[in-house]
Amino acid sequence: MKIFIDTADTDQIGKFLSWGICDGVTTNPSINLKCGVATWAQMQERSRAIADLIAPRPLSVEVVADDLEEMLRQAREYVQWAPNIAVKITITTTKGESCLSVIHTLCKEGVDVNVTAMMTLNQLVLAAKAGGRYLSLFGGRIDDEGNDAYEVIRASREWLDVNGDECPNDPEIIVGSTRTTKNVQDWIEAGAHILTVTPDILDKMLVNARTKETVTQFLADGEKALASIKGG
Ligand code: E4P
């Protein structure tokens, strides 16, 4: 199971790299904006910086288009920025038109596509068959609708375990849109290959009040031994 960091904040990414827990990074236009990346030039600069920082791990960068030709054009530009960039393409346009031809074309060109904004097993099956390398289910948004993210992830993993060999690009399930530390535990158990997690949730996954209390006790008792040495 891999952990991706769902941010464009290079300081945070550097921190999690130093912890040894970063297997990749995902961004999208909303994440970029939140991290102060507001122009196309800044997006290019930040994407190159993150890709360089985490290489050879993958960075997902999302196209900003609702037109299939423009998606292809941007995707082909992104992959020139760095060799470890995967291009995020939404499963449909804003109007519900299929983006599968874009995904399939890019797959044939050797581009790793992260098919994004998916909410159902049906969408995931189509994305995998079209050639998506990463299949992004938005767990939090699925649950927001009153549907069951755990069940969608479980069924998706079961389907991929049986049918993945027939899909062209060795697809893996990324679950994003994590809202709580419990989501992370549940969705790992449901069978996600990759969880993409925001820095604040990663920090919360680590810290535990009972652990802090225990470490405090050990340190206090250990310091007694140290004091005896210092005392001669
Ligand atoms: C993942 O790739 C997505 O960018 C992200 O997890 C979406 O999360 P949100 O639903 O909080 O916007």
Side-chain angles (χ1 to χ4, degrees):
M1 207 285 297
K2 295 178 209 158
I3 295 176
F4 285 6
I5 319 295
D6 208 16
T7 188
D9 182 328
T10 48
D11 290 342
Q12 292 285 353
I13 295 164
K15 179 177 93 176
F16 296 118
L17 277 172
S18 78
W19 290 9
I21 62 156
C22 171
D23 298 309
V25 169
T26 49
T27 60
N28 65 35
S30 305
I31 288 171
N32 283 337
L33 203 57
K34 205 169 106 186
C35 295
V37 179
T39 67
W40 190 263
Q42 286 170 346
M43 210 255 288
Q44 178 172 350
E45 187 188 6
R46 184 69 63 92
S47 299
R48 283 182 194 268
I50 297 171
D52 189 42
L53 184 64
I54 66 171
R57 303 166 186 82
L59 163 68
S60 290
V61 184
E62 186 159 340
V63 296
V64 186
D66 208 31
D67 167 87
L68 305 190
E69 278 309 311
E70 177 60 12
M71 287 181 190
L72 276 173
R73 193 197 66 73
Q74 290 180 15
R76 290 171 179 144
E77 182 181 334
Y78 290 179
V79 296
Q80 304 304 315
W81 295 351
N84 53 331
I85 286 183
V87 180
K88 266 186 169 179
I89 306 284
T90 51
I91 183 73
T92 70
T93 65
T94 57
K95 298 177 205 70
E97 297 155 344
S98 169
C99 298
L100 293 173
S101 64
V102 175
I103 294 157
H104 191 53
T105 300
L106 290 171
C107 171
K108 285 191 288 183
E109 292 176 10
V111 175
D112 280 344
V113 176
N114 178 340
V115 187
T116 192
M118 293 197 290
M119 312 292 163
T120 67
L121 170 63
N122 279 338
Q123 291 176 325
L124 181 133
V125 167
L126 297 174
K129 291 187 76 69
R133 170 69 183 83
Y134 300 107
L135 311 172
S136 286
L137 290 171
F138 278 26
R141 294 191 191 224
I142 295 169
D143 281 347
D144 284 345
E145 292 298 300
N147 294 317
D148 184 352
Y150 184 98
E151 179 50 27
V152 175
I153 298 160
R154 192 207 56 73
S156 297
R157 178 61 185 264
E158 187 178 277
W159 182 83
L160 261 189
D161 283 349
V162 175
N163 298 284
D165 288 348
E166 292 164 22
C167 300
N169 205 9
D170 197 18
E172 291 181 287
I173 302 167
I174 303 183
V175 182
S177 191
T178 45
R179 309 268 198 255
T180 66
T181 54
K182 178 80 162 54
N183 287 159
V184 177
Q185 292 179 178
D186 288 346
W187 298 343
I188 289 171
E189 187 190 293
H193 296 102
I194 302 162
L195 256 291
T196 188
V197 187
T198 53
D200 60 322
I201 292 177
L202 280 166
D203 284 332
K204 283 188 201 162
M205 284 165 63
L206 179 74
V207 179
N208 177 284
R210 190 76 173 140
T211 299
K212 286 200 291 187
E213 186 187 305
T214 304
V215 175
T216 304
Q217 176 202 322
F218 289 162
L219 187 62
D221 289 342
E223 278 172 349
K224 289 173 196 157
L226 281 180
S228 74
I229 298 168
K230 284 177 194 154

